[in-house]
Amino acid sequence: MAAKSAISGEYIIQKEESGSIVVYRIYDNSTAALREIAAKVGFEYDKEWTVRQFGNKLIDFINKDK
């Protein structure tokens, strides 16, 4: 759980109880966010997939070698 947090524009900044700082980016469009991530990791997607399908397949792709 975060000790404290703030939102500024498209970013959430959290200070964890351990003192670590974590920053998250807020996206207005989940599909656009998934496309951005897919491009960075070299994952090809099918435009016919739903957001849930796309997200699930992308998670599996990223985690396949872990």
Side-chain angles (χ1 to χ4, degrees):
M1 176 177 274
K4 65 180 182 177
S5 64
I7 297 175
S8 178
E10 63 182 19
Y11 297 98
I12 299 171
I13 307 161
Q14 283 185 261
K15 180 179 178 185
E16 302 293 323
E17 291 183 14
S18 67
S20 296
I21 300 295
V22 181
V23 178
Y24 300 96
R25 183 173 172 195
I26 303 166
Y27 288 85
D28 290 332
N29 184 309
S30 296
T31 302
L34 292 172
R35 287 179 184 162
E36 182 179 323
I37 296 164
K40 288 182 181 182
V41 299
F43 178 75
E44 291 190 32
Y45 65 95
D46 184 332
K47 293 178 183 177
E48 299 299 316
W49 290 339
T50 65
V51 175
R52 288 181 181 190
Q53 290 171 319
F54 187 8
N56 190 49
K57 291 175 186 290
L58 183 56
I59 290 168
D60 289 344
F61 178 82
I62 292 168
N63 287 334
K64 73 177 181 201
D65 295 326
K66 292 183 180 179

